[in-house]
């Protein structure tokens, strides 16, 4: 691998570039379509990969592993923002949180936002990131059977929510 990263020799720059678009789409889903937050998550994940602090051990596909790194970075960022807001409220200096970017289809985005987090993440991995249910299970750290159950329930819940919107 000629263009392997110095601190992470099992990952190449070319592979990261090839997966960049899919990674950014996944980061957008993880941040509720907040472009700025997604860019931050992606940058932090890339820094972990390039520095070697996140190591690809080839137990899954590179894409699956990288999506897991992105998910962990997004979760940490979300916890930090929530902690900051709580501290700001305690200090009575709360600032208005930034509004996330407008989704392409507000109705769909609203229906997705109402799903439980695991179902929303699973649908995002399968539909937007083009992963198989098995690969999505690996990213989420759950069994394939559990992933199939969440996937099935997510589709049912989404269909039901969109039908309710149509009836209004």
């Amino acid at each position: 691998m000629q263009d392997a990263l110095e601190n992470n020799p099992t990952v190449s720059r070319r592979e990261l570039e090839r997966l960049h678009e899919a990674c950014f789409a996944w980061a957008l889903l993880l941040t509720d379509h907040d472009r700025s937050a997604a860019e931050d998550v992606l940058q932090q994940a890339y820094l972990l990969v390039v520095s070697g602090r996140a190591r690809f051990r080839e137990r899954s596909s590179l894409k699956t592993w990288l999506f897991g790194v992105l998910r962990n970075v997004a979760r940490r960022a979300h916890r930090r923002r929530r902690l900051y807001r709580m501290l700001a409220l305690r200090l009575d200096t709360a600032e208005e949180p930034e509004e996330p970017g407008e989704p392409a289809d507000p109705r769909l985005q609203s229906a997705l936002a109402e799903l439980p987090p695991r179902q929303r993440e699973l649908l995002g991995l399968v539909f937007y990131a083009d992963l198989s249910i098995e690969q999505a299970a690996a990213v989420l750290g759950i069994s394939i059977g559990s992933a199939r159950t969440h996937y099935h329930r997510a589709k049912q819940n989404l269909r039901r929510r969109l039908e309710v919107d149509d009836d209004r």
Side-chain angles (χ1 to χ4, degrees):
M1 195 177 294
Q2 300 157 322
D3 63 339
L5 301 175
E6 186 175 317
N7 294 318
N8 212 341
T10 56
V11 178
S12 75
R13 179 185 177 108
R14 187 172 311 134
E15 289 170 315
L16 286 179
E17 289 171 352
R18 181 179 59 81
L19 293 171
H20 177 73
E21 189 174 322
C23 288
F24 185 64
W26 176 233
L28 280 169
L29 282 168
L30 291 170
T31 59
D32 294 325
H33 295 276
D34 181 337
R35 188 174 184 84
S36 176
E39 289 169 349
D40 290 343
V41 164
L42 197 58
Q43 181 179 18
Q44 288 298 316
Y46 285 165
L47 285 172
L48 289 173
V49 171
V50 169
S51 71
R53 290 179 44 214
R55 287 221 172 257
F56 179 52
R57 302 202 194 305
E58 301 183 54
R59 295 182 192 148
S60 63
S61 73
L62 178 64
K63 184 177 183 179
T64 300
W65 171 78
L66 196 52
F67 277 31
V69 172
L70 285 163
R71 182 173 181 253
N72 290 336
V73 169
R75 281 185 162 178
R76 281 193 300 272
H78 179 72
R79 281 193 297 267
R80 271 194 305 275
R81 283 192 305 272
R82 192 173 63 219
L83 178 62
Y84 176 77
R85 282 192 293 263
M86 285 176 22
L87 289 173
L89 285 172
R90 283 188 180 169
L91 296 173
D92 199 29
T93 60
E95 296 178 12
E96 285 294 313
E98 290 183 22
E99 288 294 316
E102 286 297 312
D105 182 352
R107 223 183 76 175
L108 178 60
Q109 185 59 33
S110 174
L112 283 169
E114 293 174 12
L115 294 176
R118 175 80 32 99
Q119 290 179 11
R120 186 173 51 247
E121 288 177 338
L122 195 58
L123 282 180
L125 287 169
V126 172
F127 286 104
Y128 294 109
D130 200 29
L131 294 181
S132 68
I133 293 176
E134 291 78 13
Q135 291 170 320
V139 168
L140 298 174
I142 60 176
S143 72
I144 294 170
S146 179
R148 285 187 178 125
T149 300
H150 286 294
Y151 178 73
H152 178 72
R153 289 180 183 162
K155 289 192 310 182
Q156 285 180 325
N157 286 337
L158 192 57
R159 186 177 301 118
R160 193 172 23 254
R161 283 176 169 81
L162 291 173
E163 286 171 354
V164 166
D165 283 350
D166 286 340
D167 293 341
R168 290 182 189 170

